[in-house]
Amino acid sequence: MLLPGILALTALVYVNVLRNGFIDFDDPENVLDNYSIRAFTLENLRHWFTAPLQYMYTPLVSLSYAVDYRLGQLDPTTYHVTNLLLHLVNIVLVYQLLRALTRKVFIIGFVTVAFAVHPMNVDTVSWISTRSTLLATAFSLGALLAYLRYCRDGRWGYLVGSCALFGLAVLSKSTAVTLPLVLLVLDHYRRRGLTWRLLAEKVPYLVLAVVTGIVTLHYRVDTSHLHQYAPVNRVVLVCAALVGYLLRLVVPYPLAFAYAYPDQHGAFLPWYLYLAPVVLGLVTWALYRSPVPNRVVTLGLLFFTVTVLLSQTVLLVDNYQANRYVYLPYLGLFLIVAHLVRRLLLAGKGWRADLRPLWQGLLAGCLVLFAVLTMARSSLWNSTTAVWDDSIRHQPRVPFVYNSRGMAEYHRGNYPVALRDFRRATDLDPTFTLSYYYQGVIKTLSQDYAGAVVDLDRAVALSSGFAPAYGERGKAKLALGDVPGALADLNQAVTWDSYYVDAFLNRGLAYHRAGSYQQAVTDFDRAVLLDPNLAAAYLGRGDARSQLGDTAGA
């Protein structure tokens, strides 16, 4: 009854998420405006496997969104149901993984419950655009379970299955490439000696990891250049992130959607950050001196470090200490904490035994508190503005969050309020591409086309592969009468994104103005194919056909 009880508790804690909508960051690009997910065709399938989704190579994520669209169109409840079901599947897989590692019922239950309801996992479950983490975790856990069965039974079929599941994991999210190192950690835990056969088993995993890394580097062009950290400071920064995660493991409040990168003073970070490596060393020493078996400490610490480290070594605007990056890595720390708590609850005679009811009460209180915090935070995701306001309240110097709140106000039509947030974002980070882009979009809507071109020039200069910036600049140039310039930008936009409906529409208008009516019809055809309800495309195509003498078609 343990696992059904945990699943029921999780469903109760997360039930509010089913009433949440889309968030005005990544959700529009991933789902609402992603025309490739609206039909299962060979063209769309090829697109998913040959083009990035928001700078990331995640074809299985696009496939899962297409399934959701088939079931519920653009009803956000369908997508949230899928996220919650994936979390429940991951809970079952965590339970099975712990059963494969230990026979101690308390350890199995503690880790599974912690994974199920820890407040740090809310962002992953509640945000539709974190589907990649949920999918990659499911396939990674499946790969680990299959590998452990191979280690136990020695049947090669399990190793092949594990490698196949790893392939699905990296097709869901590139950070899954660290799994081969996790397998080596498990080998150490199971006392498998380092042999040539053991290393040969990892070769297929390594090949998949290398290929994934190459593809990821090709598409991942949105790294931040706000801080040019020296190598030593980069190491300190990663250590500080690990310390932050350790603190939020036991005190998950206050939480923010994103955390600010620390400012440098000259060549130095704030002095206290240089204590982070020392803190990590002391924590590690204390754990090895604790009653927890050393093999468990090694497994837990290495599992956490290996699976979280990659996310913190790349400077992305929204990932420093982000909660969603410890969805899988925290399992290692949960395992260590479970052993510590078990020792307290199994204290022997004397005063230690007298304290047992206190530890039991504290454990029950923590479970209730964490469940309440998780339920409250999952409800917060009901409103885009609420998510960003809460994050800014706790972390007021994150440009990415101001930009996201500006996007929410933009979609509401509150352009002056949106511009305020976009300008705040570029004040904090003069290289923040999206804020320049949206300032250009708003200026276009206000018919300040020259001003729009200035902002969009900056966006293109900062991110040469950002198709929407080319598309919007092409639209502004067309309004200014610069037809050749508009065509050049719109050509670039559709080259980067062959599903960019607005770019095909505007290129059709540009061709029409240039007198290239047949090319205009071709672009309007593409726009109508992608969005059959786009009235402007029918209007433009009708006029172009009229110019070609096709009165009936017009």
Side-chain angles (χ1 to χ4, degrees):
M1 292 300 293
L2 178 60
L3 181 58
I6 296 172
L7 294 174
L9 173 63
T10 305
L12 176 64
V13 167
Y14 277 104
V15 68
N16 289 334
V17 80
L18 301 182
R19 295 183 294 186
N20 293 352
F22 293 104
I23 295 298
D24 287 326
F25 181 78
D26 281 357
D27 284 356
E29 292 81 4
N30 285 335
V31 179
L32 295 174
D33 301 327
N34 185 358
Y35 290 89
S36 74
I37 68 171
R38 299 189 181 187
F40 283 96
T41 65
L42 287 177
E43 181 187 1
N44 289 342
L45 187 64
R46 183 167 54 250
H47 176 74
W48 299 336
F49 280 87
T50 58
L53 180 64
Q54 288 294 90
Y55 300 107
M56 295 185 290
Y57 184 69
T58 55
L60 295 189
V61 174
S62 296
L63 178 61
S64 75
Y65 288 148
V67 172
D68 286 342
Y69 185 85
R70 184 71 175 268
L71 295 174
Q73 302 294 299
L74 293 178
D75 178 7
T77 301
T78 305
Y79 300 82
H80 284 297
V81 167
T82 302
N83 270 27
L84 182 54
L85 287 176
L86 284 170
H87 183 51
L88 294 174
V89 167
N90 287 335
I91 290 169
V92 174
L93 293 172
V94 166
Y95 179 85
Q96 296 298 335
L97 179 64
L98 268 293
R99 286 189 62 190
L101 293 175
T102 180
R103 296 182 179 180
K104 296 180 174 65
V105 176
F106 178 83
I107 301 297
I108 297 170
F110 183 97
V111 175
T112 307
V113 169
F115 177 80
V117 302
H118 198 284
M120 285 285 282
N121 287 344
V122 171
D123 294 7
T124 303
V125 181
S126 301
W127 187 19
I128 291 170
S129 288
T130 47
R131 178 71 57 81
S132 58
T133 298
L134 294 166
L135 280 173
T137 298
F139 290 126
S140 295
L141 290 171
L144 292 176
L145 280 168
Y147 182 76
L148 289 173
R149 286 293 298 271
Y150 161 73
C151 292
R152 189 188 72 183
D153 300 342
R155 295 171 59 181
W156 285 96
Y158 286 119
L159 185 64
V160 173
S162 173
C163 194
L165 287 167
F166 172 59
L168 295 175
V170 296
L171 288 175
S172 301
K173 191 170 187 178
S174 58
T175 51
V177 296
T178 58
L179 190 95
L181 296 177
V182 175
L183 298 182
L184 291 173
V185 174
L186 287 176
D187 288 335
H188 176 268
Y189 178 76
R190 294 178 56 83
R191 294 191 173 94
R192 295 186 74 201
L194 188 62
T195 63
W196 286 112
R197 171 175 171 163
L198 183 143
L199 294 176
E201 295 167 355
K202 310 302 183 296
V203 171
Y205 298 93
L206 184 60
V207 171
L208 285 172
V210 170
V211 171
T212 301
I214 293 171
V215 173
T216 299
L217 291 174
H218 174 70
Y219 290 125
R220 191 92 240 194
V221 295
D222 61 329
T223 51
S224 171
H225 301 287
L226 174 59
H227 299 288
Q228 297 297 331
Y229 295 111
V232 172
N233 287 345
R234 289 287 293 270
V235 172
V236 170
L237 199 65
V238 171
C239 292
L242 297 182
V243 171
Y245 283 136
L246 290 176
L247 291 173
R248 286 192 287 277
L249 175 76
V250 292
V251 185
Y253 186 86
L255 299 180
F257 180 82
Y259 300 83
Y261 282 97
D263 291 322
Q264 292 186 114
H265 304 284
F268 299 98
L269 297 167
W271 66 268
Y272 55 85
L273 292 179
Y274 293 97
L275 299 177
V278 178
V279 172
L280 291 177
L282 290 174
V283 169
T284 302
W285 174 82
L287 289 174
Y288 276 108
R289 298 284 294 177
S290 73
V292 180
N294 284 353
R295 278 196 312 134
V296 173
V297 173
T298 301
L299 172 63
L301 289 181
L302 287 180
F303 186 96
F304 168 70
T305 304
V306 165
T307 52
V308 79
L309 198 60
L310 189 60
S311 69
Q312 298 306 300
T313 54
V314 180
L315 298 183
L316 301 178
V317 295
D318 60 337
N319 81 320
Y320 182 61
Q321 298 190 37
N323 307 330
R324 62 188 181 279
Y325 285 114
V326 290
Y327 182 71
L328 177 63
Y330 261 4
L331 287 179
L333 300 184
F334 290 152
L335 182 64
I336 296 173
V337 174
H339 277 83
L340 285 170
V341 173
R342 183 174 180 271
R343 290 302 298 261
L344 289 173
L345 296 179
L346 295 180
K349 301 177 182 179
W351 64 272
R352 291 194 179 106
D354 295 336
L355 290 176
R356 193 179 306 156
L358 174 63
W359 302 132
Q360 292 172 341
L362 287 174
L363 181 61
C366 284
L367 174 59
V368 172
L369 178 61
F370 279 26
V372 169
L373 288 173
T374 294
M375 183 177 290
R377 186 161 180 81
S378 65
S379 298
L380 180 73
W381 281 83
N382 181 257
S383 164
T384 298
T385 304
V387 173
W388 307 139
D389 286 348
D390 177 76
S391 193
I392 289 171
R393 183 161 53 250
H394 300 306
Q395 288 284 318
R397 292 188 54 79
V398 185
F400 148 75
V401 178
Y402 285 100
N403 181 81
S404 300
R405 191 171 68 177
M407 289 166 61
E409 297 296 344
Y410 161 77
H411 287 298
R412 289 192 180 88
N414 298 331
Y415 299 142
V417 178
L419 278 173
R420 179 197 64 196
D421 276 337
F422 292 137
R423 287 166 180 158
R424 175 61 174 155
T426 51
D427 286 343
L428 290 169
D429 180 2
T431 68
F432 204 92
T433 303
L434 269 178
S435 288
Y436 291 112
Y437 165 74
Y438 274 103
Q439 289 179 64
V441 170
I442 291 174
K443 287 178 181 177
T444 296
L445 291 171
S446 304
Q447 299 184 352
D448 177 12
Y449 303 116
V453 169
V454 171
D455 283 326
L456 293 165
D457 282 345
R458 188 66 186 272
V460 168
L462 290 167
S463 183
S464 60
F466 188 35
Y470 287 102
E472 286 296 325
R473 190 171 68 175
K475 184 192 298 185
K477 286 180 178 179
L478 183 61
L480 290 169
D482 180 8
V483 176
L487 284 171
D489 276 343
L490 293 165
N491 286 336
Q492 191 66 50
V494 299
T495 298
W496 281 99
D497 184 357
S498 61
Y499 288 77
Y500 192 173
V501 177
D502 199 48
F504 282 107
L505 170 66
N506 285 300
R507 192 171 71 169
L509 294 172
Y511 278 133
H512 186 286
R513 188 174 297 185
S516 302
Y517 301 116
Q518 188 55 58
Q519 289 175 290
V521 169
T522 300
D523 275 347
F524 291 135
D525 283 344
R526 177 64 176 169
V528 167
L529 177 66
L530 293 172
D531 186 358
N533 298 315
L534 189 60
Y538 289 102
L539 180 64
R541 188 170 67 179
D543 194 54
R545 283 175 168 172
S546 178
Q547 295 292 338
L548 290 169
D550 180 9
T551 305

